[in-house]
Amino acid sequence: MSRGLIARETAISMAINSALNYGFSLLAFGGKAEVPVWGVGGLLFDLVPTCFMISLMGSVVPSLIKRRHLSPTPSTRFILLRGLLLALLAVLVLVPTVALLLRGTETLSLAAVLWLKLPLGAVLACCVTLWSLRGLLHREVSHA
């Protein structure tokens, strides 16, 4: 697996996850002028599944697509478990961090929510996809 392939897969992951993040953000908050930060239905509540799914899909999908090109082929179980651990880690790190950054803020405009969620999701997709694919590449090289 080459660096160019990893860069392309990472860009695709970022684009797909950003589009999904945008769509689900509009579904969740599109009819509101102001979005609550706290509580059920608020931004932080929404960040839990957002961070979890972006991390899980950004890790698992590219890894499963590329696994057949590797020798030795990593198991599906390994890829899924690693994806779940990354997703849990992302939620445990990012949601409290955003909560600290937004303490004292009760509501945000929809535009502010999108300016927060879209770059956060794109960076998260970039990080987990790069980390996952580089990990598979390192596994392949170390077993060669």
Side-chain angles (χ1 to χ4, degrees):
M1 194 178 338
S2 70
R3 289 182 187 198
L5 178 73
I6 290 174
R8 185 178 73 234
E9 290 300 321
T10 300
I12 291 168
S13 176
M14 289 173 66
I16 290 171
N17 279 298
S18 292
L20 290 171
N21 189 10
Y22 179 72
F24 282 111
S25 295
L26 289 181
L27 281 174
F29 305 122
K32 302 176 183 177
E34 295 286 320
V35 175
V37 172
W38 308 95
V40 175
L43 173 62
L44 291 171
F45 187 80
D46 178 68
L47 278 179
V48 173
T50 298
C51 290
F52 187 86
M53 290 309 295
I54 288 173
S55 299
L56 185 65
M57 294 298 108
S59 172
V60 170
V61 173
S63 296
L64 287 175
I65 290 170
K66 296 302 168 196
R67 76 183 274 272
R68 65 183 171 194
H69 300 292
L70 300 172
S71 177
T73 304
S75 72
T76 303
R77 182 178 179 189
F78 168 78
I79 290 171
L80 292 174
L81 286 174
R82 184 183 59 185
L84 283 171
L85 288 173
L86 275 173
L88 289 172
L89 180 64
V91 169
L92 292 173
V93 170
L94 291 175
V95 175
T97 301
V98 172
L100 282 173
L101 292 172
L102 294 177
R103 71 180 180 267
T105 305
E106 294 301 318
T107 62
L108 292 171
S109 69
L110 179 60
V113 167
L114 293 175
W115 276 105
L116 173 80
K117 283 189 69 180
L118 296 180
L120 177 71
V123 169
L124 181 56
C126 178
C127 291
V128 298
T129 305
L130 272 173
W131 190 83
S132 296
L133 292 178
R134 283 185 177 167
L136 289 179
L137 178 62
H138 177 71
R139 249 177 85 105
E140 179 183 42
V141 171
S142 67
H143 283 85

PDB file of all heavy atoms in Angstrom, residues 115-142:
ATOM      1  N   TRP A 115     -19.896  25.339  11.456  1.00  0.00           N
ATOM      2  CA  TRP A 115     -18.476  25.727  11.464  1.00  0.00           C
ATOM      3  C   TRP A 115     -17.689  24.941  12.502  1.00  0.00           C
ATOM      4  O   TRP A 115     -16.485  24.757  12.368  1.00  0.00           O
ATOM      5  CB  TRP A 115     -18.309  27.228  11.705  1.00  0.00           C
ATOM      6  CG  TRP A 115     -18.441  28.027  10.462  1.00  0.00           C
ATOM      7  CD1 TRP A 115     -19.494  28.797  10.088  1.00  0.00           C
ATOM      8  CD2 TRP A 115     -17.480  28.127   9.398  1.00  0.00           C
ATOM      9  NE1 TRP A 115     -19.260  29.358   8.858  1.00  0.00           N
ATOM     10  CE2 TRP A 115     -18.032  28.974   8.411  1.00  0.00           C
ATOM     11  CE3 TRP A 115     -16.219  27.579   9.190  1.00  0.00           C
ATOM     12  CZ2 TRP A 115     -17.364  29.288   7.238  1.00  0.00           C
ATOM     13  CZ3 TRP A 115     -15.556  27.896   8.005  1.00  0.00           C
ATOM     14  CH2 TRP A 115     -16.122  28.734   7.058  1.00  0.00           C
ATOM     15  N   LEU A 116     -18.355  24.446  13.524  1.00  0.00           N
ATOM     16  CA  LEU A 116     -17.682  23.619  14.532  1.00  0.00           C
ATOM     17  C   LEU A 116     -17.640  22.158  14.084  1.00  0.00           C
ATOM     18  O   LEU A 116     -16.585  21.533  14.077  1.00  0.00           O
ATOM     19  CB  LEU A 116     -18.404  23.730  15.882  1.00  0.00           C
ATOM     20  CG  LEU A 116     -17.895  22.778  16.953  1.00  0.00           C
ATOM     21  CD1 LEU A 116     -16.620  23.328  17.575  1.00  0.00           C
ATOM     22  CD2 LEU A 116     -18.942  22.546  18.012  1.00  0.00           C
ATOM     23  N   LYS A 117     -18.802  21.626  13.690  1.00  0.00           N
ATOM     24  CA  LYS A 117     -18.902  20.196  13.413  1.00  0.00           C
ATOM     25  C   LYS A 117     -18.203  19.758  12.133  1.00  0.00           C
ATOM     26  O   LYS A 117     -17.611  18.677  12.101  1.00  0.00           O
ATOM     27  CB  LYS A 117     -20.369  19.774  13.336  1.00  0.00           C
ATOM     28  CG  LYS A 117     -21.033  19.639  14.693  1.00  0.00           C
ATOM     29  CD  LYS A 117     -22.392  19.006  14.554  1.00  0.00           C
ATOM     30  CE  LYS A 117     -22.242  17.556  14.145  1.00  0.00           C
ATOM     31  NZ  LYS A 117     -23.514  16.874  13.981  1.00  0.00           N
ATOM     32  N   LEU A 118     -18.276  20.547  11.079  1.00  0.00           N
ATOM     33  CA  LEU A 118     -17.713  20.097   9.803  1.00  0.00           C
ATOM     34  C   LEU A 118     -16.188  19.999   9.823  1.00  0.00           C
ATOM     35  O   LEU A 118     -15.636  18.962   9.429  1.00  0.00           O
ATOM     36  CB  LEU A 118     -18.229  20.948   8.655  1.00  0.00           C
ATOM     37  CG  LEU A 118     -19.748  20.831   8.432  1.00  0.00           C
ATOM     38  CD1 LEU A 118     -20.203  21.709   7.284  1.00  0.00           C
ATOM     39  CD2 LEU A 118     -20.180  19.399   8.235  1.00  0.00           C
ATOM     40  N   PRO A 119     -15.469  21.027  10.284  1.00  0.00           N
ATOM     41  CA  PRO A 119     -14.007  20.851  10.369  1.00  0.00           C
ATOM     42  C   PRO A 119     -13.605  19.771  11.381  1.00  0.00           C
ATOM     43  O   PRO A 119     -12.683  19.001  11.132  1.00  0.00           O
ATOM     44  CB  PRO A 119     -13.493  22.219  10.807  1.00  0.00           C
ATOM     45  CG  PRO A 119     -14.575  23.179  10.449  1.00  0.00           C
ATOM     46  CD  PRO A 119     -15.857  22.411  10.553  1.00  0.00           C
ATOM     47  N   LEU A 120     -14.317  19.696  12.501  1.00  0.00           N
ATOM     48  CA  LEU A 120     -14.019  18.663  13.498  1.00  0.00           C
ATOM     49  C   LEU A 120     -14.177  17.278  12.884  1.00  0.00           C
ATOM     50  O   LEU A 120     -13.309  16.415  13.037  1.00  0.00           O
ATOM     51  CB  LEU A 120     -14.933  18.820  14.718  1.00  0.00           C
ATOM     52  CG  LEU A 120     -14.770  17.765  15.807  1.00  0.00           C
ATOM     53  CD1 LEU A 120     -13.448  17.962  16.539  1.00  0.00           C
ATOM     54  CD2 LEU A 120     -15.934  17.823  16.778  1.00  0.00           C
ATOM     55  N   GLY A 121     -15.262  17.063  12.148  1.00  0.00           N
ATOM     56  CA  GLY A 121     -15.492  15.766  11.511  1.00  0.00           C
ATOM     57  C   GLY A 121     -14.468  15.449  10.437  1.00  0.00           C
ATOM     58  O   GLY A 121     -14.008  14.309  10.319  1.00  0.00           O
ATOM     59  N   ALA A 122     -14.095  16.451   9.653  1.00  0.00           N
ATOM     60  CA  ALA A 122     -13.103  16.231   8.588  1.00  0.00           C
ATOM     61  C   ALA A 122     -11.738  15.884   9.180  1.00  0.00           C
ATOM     62  O   ALA A 122     -11.061  14.961   8.701  1.00  0.00           O
ATOM     63  CB  ALA A 122     -13.005  17.466   7.697  1.00  0.00           C
ATOM     64  N   VAL A 123     -11.335  16.606  10.214  1.00  0.00           N
ATOM     65  CA  VAL A 123     -10.038  16.321  10.862  1.00  0.00           C
ATOM     66  C   VAL A 123     -10.068  14.944  11.527  1.00  0.00           C
ATOM     67  O   VAL A 123      -9.107  14.177  11.442  1.00  0.00           O
ATOM     68  CB  VAL A 123      -9.670  17.435  11.869  1.00  0.00           C
ATOM     69  CG1 VAL A 123      -8.494  17.034  12.732  1.00  0.00           C
ATOM     70  CG2 VAL A 123      -9.379  18.730  11.130  1.00  0.00           C
ATOM     71  N   LEU A 124     -11.176  14.620  12.161  1.00  0.00           N
ATOM     72  CA  LEU A 124     -11.303  13.311  12.795  1.00  0.00           C
ATOM     73  C   LEU A 124     -11.232  12.200  11.754  1.00  0.00           C
ATOM     74  O   LEU A 124     -10.503  11.216  11.939  1.00  0.00           O
ATOM     75  CB  LEU A 124     -12.621  13.240  13.574  1.00  0.00           C
ATOM     76  CG  LEU A 124     -12.919  11.959  14.324  1.00  0.00           C
ATOM     77  CD1 LEU A 124     -11.798  11.613  15.305  1.00  0.00           C
ATOM     78  CD2 LEU A 124     -14.254  12.085  15.053  1.00  0.00           C
ATOM     79  N   ALA A 125     -11.938  12.346  10.647  1.00  0.00           N
ATOM     80  CA  ALA A 125     -11.879  11.339   9.574  1.00  0.00           C
ATOM     81  C   ALA A 125     -10.459  11.213   9.031  1.00  0.00           C
ATOM     82  O   ALA A 125      -9.965  10.105   8.796  1.00  0.00           O
ATOM     83  CB  ALA A 125     -12.850  11.711   8.445  1.00  0.00           C
ATOM     84  N   CYS A 126      -9.794  12.333   8.847  1.00  0.00           N
ATOM     85  CA  CYS A 126      -8.410  12.326   8.361  1.00  0.00           C
ATOM     86  C   CYS A 126      -7.513  11.547   9.324  1.00  0.00           C
ATOM     87  O   CYS A 126      -6.758  10.671   8.905  1.00  0.00           O
ATOM     88  CB  CYS A 126      -7.914  13.758   8.198  1.00  0.00           C
ATOM     89  SG  CYS A 126      -6.198  13.881   7.666  1.00  0.00           S
ATOM     90  N   CYS A 127      -7.614  11.863  10.589  1.00  0.00           N
ATOM     91  CA  CYS A 127      -6.729  11.229  11.589  1.00  0.00           C
ATOM     92  C   CYS A 127      -6.956   9.726  11.683  1.00  0.00           C
ATOM     93  O   CYS A 127      -6.000   8.951  11.646  1.00  0.00           O
ATOM     94  CB  CYS A 127      -6.933  11.876  12.954  1.00  0.00           C
ATOM     95  SG  CYS A 127      -6.329  13.565  13.041  1.00  0.00           S
ATOM     96  N   VAL A 128      -8.221   9.300  11.807  1.00  0.00           N
ATOM     97  CA  VAL A 128      -8.455   7.866  11.992  1.00  0.00           C
ATOM     98  C   VAL A 128      -8.162   7.077  10.722  1.00  0.00           C
ATOM     99  O   VAL A 128      -7.661   5.952  10.801  1.00  0.00           O
ATOM    100  CB  VAL A 128      -9.875   7.553  12.528  1.00  0.00           C
ATOM    101  CG1 VAL A 128     -10.098   8.169  13.882  1.00  0.00           C
ATOM    102  CG2 VAL A 128     -10.953   7.945  11.561  1.00  0.00           C
ATOM    103  N   THR A 129      -8.440   7.656   9.570  1.00  0.00           N
ATOM    104  CA  THR A 129      -8.155   6.942   8.320  1.00  0.00           C
ATOM    105  C   THR A 129      -6.654   6.807   8.107  1.00  0.00           C
ATOM    106  O   THR A 129      -6.156   5.718   7.799  1.00  0.00           O
ATOM    107  CB  THR A 129      -8.822   7.637   7.121  1.00  0.00           C
ATOM    108  OG1 THR A 129     -10.224   7.762   7.373  1.00  0.00           O
ATOM    109  CG2 THR A 129      -8.608   6.852   5.847  1.00  0.00           C
ATOM    110  N   LEU A 130      -5.937   7.903   8.291  1.00  0.00           N
ATOM    111  CA  LEU A 130      -4.473   7.844   8.169  1.00  0.00           C
ATOM    112  C   LEU A 130      -3.883   6.843   9.152  1.00  0.00           C
ATOM    113  O   LEU A 130      -3.056   6.008   8.780  1.00  0.00           O
ATOM    114  CB  LEU A 130      -3.864   9.220   8.444  1.00  0.00           C
ATOM    115  CG  LEU A 130      -3.728  10.164   7.275  1.00  0.00           C
ATOM    116  CD1 LEU A 130      -3.260  11.527   7.766  1.00  0.00           C
ATOM    117  CD2 LEU A 130      -2.785   9.624   6.238  1.00  0.00           C
ATOM    118  N   TRP A 131      -4.289   6.939  10.405  1.00  0.00           N
ATOM    119  CA  TRP A 131      -3.752   6.055  11.437  1.00  0.00           C
ATOM    120  C   TRP A 131      -4.055   4.598  11.114  1.00  0.00           C
ATOM    121  O   TRP A 131      -3.181   3.729  11.214  1.00  0.00           O
ATOM    122  CB  TRP A 131      -4.316   6.440  12.805  1.00  0.00           C
ATOM    123  CG  TRP A 131      -3.640   5.732  13.925  1.00  0.00           C
ATOM    124  CD1 TRP A 131      -2.472   6.079  14.526  1.00  0.00           C
ATOM    125  CD2 TRP A 131      -4.066   4.530  14.553  1.00  0.00           C
ATOM    126  NE1 TRP A 131      -2.167   5.168  15.505  1.00  0.00           N
ATOM    127  CE2 TRP A 131      -3.129   4.208  15.541  1.00  0.00           C
ATOM    128  CE3 TRP A 131      -5.170   3.696  14.385  1.00  0.00           C
ATOM    129  CZ2 TRP A 131      -3.250   3.094  16.359  1.00  0.00           C
ATOM    130  CZ3 TRP A 131      -5.291   2.580  15.194  1.00  0.00           C
ATOM    131  CH2 TRP A 131      -4.334   2.294  16.161  1.00  0.00           C
ATOM    132  N   SER A 132      -5.279   4.323  10.694  1.00  0.00           N
ATOM    133  CA  SER A 132      -5.674   2.938  10.404  1.00  0.00           C
ATOM    134  C   SER A 132      -4.932   2.371   9.203  1.00  0.00           C
ATOM    135  O   SER A 132      -4.411   1.250   9.261  1.00  0.00           O
ATOM    136  CB  SER A 132      -7.180   2.865  10.155  1.00  0.00           C
ATOM    137  OG  SER A 132      -7.880   3.224  11.316  1.00  0.00           O
ATOM    138  N   LEU A 133      -4.871   3.139   8.120  1.00  0.00           N
ATOM    139  CA  LEU A 133      -4.202   2.624   6.919  1.00  0.00           C
ATOM    140  C   LEU A 133      -2.695   2.538   7.100  1.00  0.00           C
ATOM    141  O   LEU A 133      -2.066   1.582   6.636  1.00  0.00           O
ATOM    142  CB  LEU A 133      -4.562   3.471   5.704  1.00  0.00           C
ATOM    143  CG  LEU A 133      -6.028   3.378   5.258  1.00  0.00           C
ATOM    144  CD1 LEU A 133      -6.292   4.297   4.080  1.00  0.00           C
ATOM    145  CD2 LEU A 133      -6.418   1.947   4.922  1.00  0.00           C
ATOM    146  N   ARG A 134      -2.105   3.509   7.777  1.00  0.00           N
ATOM    147  CA  ARG A 134      -0.668   3.420   8.061  1.00  0.00           C
ATOM    148  C   ARG A 134      -0.373   2.230   8.964  1.00  0.00           C
ATOM    149  O   ARG A 134       0.649   1.568   8.810  1.00  0.00           O
ATOM    150  CB  ARG A 134      -0.158   4.707   8.689  1.00  0.00           C
ATOM    151  CG  ARG A 134       0.025   5.814   7.694  1.00  0.00           C
ATOM    152  CD  ARG A 134       0.633   7.019   8.350  1.00  0.00           C
ATOM    153  NE  ARG A 134       0.869   8.069   7.375  1.00  0.00           N
ATOM    154  CZ  ARG A 134       1.164   9.303   7.690  1.00  0.00           C
ATOM    155  NH1 ARG A 134       1.257   9.655   8.966  1.00  0.00           N
ATOM    156  NH2 ARG A 134       1.366  10.196   6.757  1.00  0.00           N
ATOM    157  N   GLY A 135      -1.274   1.962   9.899  1.00  0.00           N
ATOM    158  CA  GLY A 135      -1.107   0.795  10.765  1.00  0.00           C
ATOM    159  C   GLY A 135      -1.129  -0.500   9.969  1.00  0.00           C
ATOM    160  O   GLY A 135      -0.338  -1.411  10.220  1.00  0.00           O
ATOM    161  N   LEU A 136      -2.036  -0.582   8.997  1.00  0.00           N
ATOM    162  CA  LEU A 136      -2.074  -1.775   8.144  1.00  0.00           C
ATOM    163  C   LEU A 136      -0.816  -1.883   7.299  1.00  0.00           C
ATOM    164  O   LEU A 136      -0.274  -2.970   7.118  1.00  0.00           O
ATOM    165  CB  LEU A 136      -3.314  -1.755   7.248  1.00  0.00           C
ATOM    166  CG  LEU A 136      -4.661  -1.978   7.925  1.00  0.00           C
ATOM    167  CD1 LEU A 136      -5.778  -1.904   6.899  1.00  0.00           C
ATOM    168  CD2 LEU A 136      -4.697  -3.295   8.663  1.00  0.00           C
ATOM    169  N   LEU A 137      -0.343  -0.747   6.784  1.00  0.00           N
ATOM    170  CA  LEU A 137       0.888  -0.741   5.994  1.00  0.00           C
ATOM    171  C   LEU A 137       2.068  -1.188   6.850  1.00  0.00           C
ATOM    172  O   LEU A 137       2.877  -2.011   6.429  1.00  0.00           O
ATOM    173  CB  LEU A 137       1.143   0.649   5.419  1.00  0.00           C
ATOM    174  CG  LEU A 137       2.420   0.815   4.601  1.00  0.00           C
ATOM    175  CD1 LEU A 137       2.386  -0.079   3.376  1.00  0.00           C
ATOM    176  CD2 LEU A 137       2.587   2.269   4.193  1.00  0.00           C
ATOM    177  N   HIS A 138       2.146  -0.675   8.065  1.00  0.00           N
ATOM    178  CA  HIS A 138       3.239  -1.060   8.971  1.00  0.00           C
ATOM    179  C   HIS A 138       3.166  -2.549   9.294  1.00  0.00           C
ATOM    180  O   HIS A 138       4.179  -3.229   9.354  1.00  0.00           O
ATOM    181  CB  HIS A 138       3.188  -0.232  10.245  1.00  0.00           C
ATOM    182  CG  HIS A 138       4.230  -0.613  11.243  1.00  0.00           C
ATOM    183  ND1 HIS A 138       5.564  -0.346  11.063  1.00  0.00           N
ATOM    184  CD2 HIS A 138       4.127  -1.290  12.423  1.00  0.00           C
ATOM    185  CE1 HIS A 138       6.245  -0.824  12.074  1.00  0.00           C
ATOM    186  NE2 HIS A 138       5.406  -1.391  12.918  1.00  0.00           N
ATOM    187  N   ARG A 139       1.953  -3.060   9.489  1.00  0.00           N
ATOM    188  CA  ARG A 139       1.767  -4.490   9.750  1.00  0.00           C
ATOM    189  C   ARG A 139       2.274  -5.318   8.594  1.00  0.00           C
ATOM    190  O   ARG A 139       2.924  -6.338   8.769  1.00  0.00           O
ATOM    191  CB  ARG A 139       0.271  -4.788   9.934  1.00  0.00           C
ATOM    192  CG  ARG A 139      -0.157  -5.156  11.285  1.00  0.00           C
ATOM    193  CD  ARG A 139      -1.655  -5.342  11.278  1.00  0.00           C
ATOM    194  NE  ARG A 139      -2.019  -6.671  10.855  1.00  0.00           N
ATOM    195  CZ  ARG A 139      -2.436  -7.607  11.687  1.00  0.00           C
ATOM    196  NH1 ARG A 139      -2.536  -7.360  12.948  1.00  0.00           N
ATOM    197  NH2 ARG A 139      -2.745  -8.799  11.242  1.00  0.00           N
ATOM    198  N   GLU A 140       1.970  -4.852   7.363  1.00  0.00           N
ATOM    199  CA  GLU A 140       2.379  -5.584   6.168  1.00  0.00           C
ATOM    200  C   GLU A 140       3.910  -5.589   6.055  1.00  0.00           C
ATOM    201  O   GLU A 140       4.519  -6.621   5.796  1.00  0.00           O
ATOM    202  CB  GLU A 140       1.766  -4.935   4.933  1.00  0.00           C
ATOM    203  CG  GLU A 140       2.171  -5.629   3.646  1.00  0.00           C
ATOM    204  CD  GLU A 140       1.618  -4.929   2.422  1.00  0.00           C
ATOM    205  OE1 GLU A 140       1.649  -3.686   2.369  1.00  0.00           O
ATOM    206  OE2 GLU A 140       1.196  -5.636   1.504  1.00  0.00           O
ATOM    207  N   VAL A 141       4.536  -4.436   6.275  1.00  0.00           N
ATOM    208  CA  VAL A 141       5.983  -4.324   6.158  1.00  0.00           C
ATOM    209  C   VAL A 141       6.688  -5.136   7.225  1.00  0.00           C
ATOM    210  O   VAL A 141       7.662  -5.830   6.964  1.00  0.00           O
ATOM    211  CB  VAL A 141       6.423  -2.840   6.224  1.00  0.00           C
ATOM    212  CG1 VAL A 141       7.918  -2.698   6.329  1.00  0.00           C
ATOM    213  CG2 VAL A 141       5.896  -2.090   5.012  1.00  0.00           C
ATOM    214  N   SER A 142       6.167  -5.109   8.442  1.00  0.00           N
ATOM    215  CA  SER A 142       6.834  -5.831   9.540  1.00  0.00           C
ATOM    216  C   SER A 142       6.684  -7.341   9.400  1.00  0.00           C
ATOM    217  O   SER A 142       7.478  -8.083   9.952  1.00  0.00           O
ATOM    218  CB  SER A 142       6.301  -5.363  10.903  1.00  0.00           C
ATOM    219  OG  SER A 142       4.964  -5.731  11.072  1.00  0.00           O
TER     220      SER A 142
END
